[in-house]
Amino acid sequence: MTQPLNTLAQINTLAQKVLTIAKEAGDKIMAIYEKDFAIYEKQDTSPLTEADLAAHNVIVKALEAESDLPILSEESADISWDERKTWSSYWLVDPLDGTKEFIKKNGEFTVNIALIENGKPTMGVVYAPALNKSYVGIVGEGAWTEVDGEFTAISARKHDGAEVWKVVGSRSHQSPEIQNLLAQLEGETELVAMGSSLKLCLVAEGEAHLYPRLGPTSEWDTGAAHAVALAAGANVTVLDPENPLDENADALTYNQKESVLNPFFLVSA
């Protein structure tokens, strides 16, 4: 069930500022999205566009003006573990998540900004500029979508035992292990394709029941949408391919190891 908000009274001031920052970055992205753009290669061979760097610069400058917290961004990820492991709170940023979707021009890309505290996402903003839609999550307070200034509360929706299981998949990455998980669900299943961090947001807003990720992701890919999912009442847990529906699985955490790669994970209502 969704519930419109007439004002921003339920969205705290910091989240409002982060949403504004995400939209400013989105404006930079859309200016490039609407024309031809240059594509470079990162060391890991993933495509990098001018839009990544433009959005990164906007976000970092604005966050540095807002707080003294350190910032870990995909576009400035060469911070040593010796330094990162001293952080109790920091900003986790993906200036343009879903670069492949951006290049394909299907609109399914996002700006992701998360506040991480003691290894857990506590606040996140996900903005999809081409879709003109934002997601805001404050753990312990609630989660909302925002379109044209109107906020609507969202919540994850558990499977009722009779309906079709809606399971989120990726347009750009498909994993055969997902079939093992689908086989363990009782009843009919439907794969819902989506790009970028919007996959987690689909579970957060009750449009899907599960999102199993059995492929590589980095912490900045998930932090903001993870916060939205938690704020909406969903769970994000480490996924064991041999036991993908383990109810006792550990929660996904951040900045707890040298590598910024996530383990496989499951988002569930």
Side-chain angles (χ1 to χ4, degrees):
M1 180 178 296
T2 60
Q3 178 180 345
L5 293 176
N6 295 323
T7 70
L8 292 180
Q10 291 178 260
I11 310 293
N12 72 27
T13 301
L14 182 60
Q16 292 180 47
K17 291 179 178 178
V18 172
L19 177 58
T20 298
I21 294 168
K23 288 190 171 186
E24 290 172 353
D27 289 344
K28 294 291 186 181
I29 290 170
M30 292 306 295
I32 297 168
Y33 183 71
E34 291 167 355
K35 62 181 182 180
D36 291 334
F37 45 81
I39 302 173
Y40 307 93
E41 291 291 320
K42 293 183 184 176
Q43 291 182 349
D44 63 3
T45 74
S46 61
L48 172 65
T49 69
E50 297 172 55
D52 285 275
L53 296 175
H56 166 81
N57 290 335
V58 167
I59 294 167
V60 169
K61 182 178 179 180
L63 289 179
E64 286 179 342
E66 187 60 41
S67 79
D68 295 327
L69 293 180
I71 302 168
L72 179 63
S73 168
E74 181 178 13
E75 306 311 333
S76 59
D78 56 347
I79 300 171
S80 72
W81 170 235
D82 283 342
E83 179 178 351
R84 283 195 294 112
K85 68 184 179 182
T86 66
W87 297 353
S88 58
S89 300
Y90 67 101
W91 296 107
L92 180 60
V93 175
D94 192 342
L96 176 51
D97 182 39
T99 311
K100 291 182 175 66
E101 279 65 40
F102 180 87
I103 292 169
K104 293 175 184 175
K105 294 204 169 186
N106 68 13
E108 295 174 2
F109 53 88
T110 58
V111 177
N112 299 336
I113 306 175
L115 178 62
I116 308 296
E117 299 180 280
N118 300 313
K120 299 177 182 179
T122 56
M123 187 269 287
V125 169
V126 175
Y127 175 47
L131 306 179
N132 188 35
K133 186 174 184 178
S134 303
Y135 295 84
V136 180
I138 307 168
V139 176
E141 296 186 31
W144 300 264
T145 57
E146 180 271 336
V147 177
D148 293 330
E150 180 175 314
F151 286 76
T152 302
I154 58 173
S155 60
R157 183 171 58 86
K158 291 186 180 295
H159 188 265
D160 67 7
E163 62 187 316
V164 174
W165 282 96
K166 291 190 175 182
V167 182
V168 184
S170 170
R171 292 194 189 279
S172 299
H173 307 276
Q174 289 295 341
S175 172
E177 292 93 340
I178 289 179
Q179 298 305 317
N180 178 41
L181 183 148
L182 297 178
Q184 296 186 43
L185 299 174
E186 295 185 4
E188 187 178 351
T189 61
E190 174 187 341
L191 190 65
V192 182
M194 182 59 69
S196 73
S197 60
L198 293 169
K199 295 186 287 291
L200 291 89
C201 294
L202 285 181
V203 178
E205 64 179 327
E207 295 297 322
H209 303 105
L210 299 172
Y211 167 39
R213 182 64 188 209
L214 289 141
T217 58
S218 295
E219 293 183 359
W220 46 70
D221 294 320
T222 57
H226 186 169
V228 173
L230 292 179
N235 299 302
V236 183
T237 53
V238 175
L239 190 158
D240 177 0
E242 299 300 318
N243 187 17
L245 299 179
D246 181 8
E247 294 182 355
N248 297 312
D250 293 333
L252 186 68
T253 57
Y254 294 81
N255 201 43
Q256 301 300 298
K257 60 189 188 310
E258 182 171 3
S259 172
V260 293
L261 292 177
N262 287 322
F264 296 160
F265 62 86
L266 177 68
V267 186
S268 59

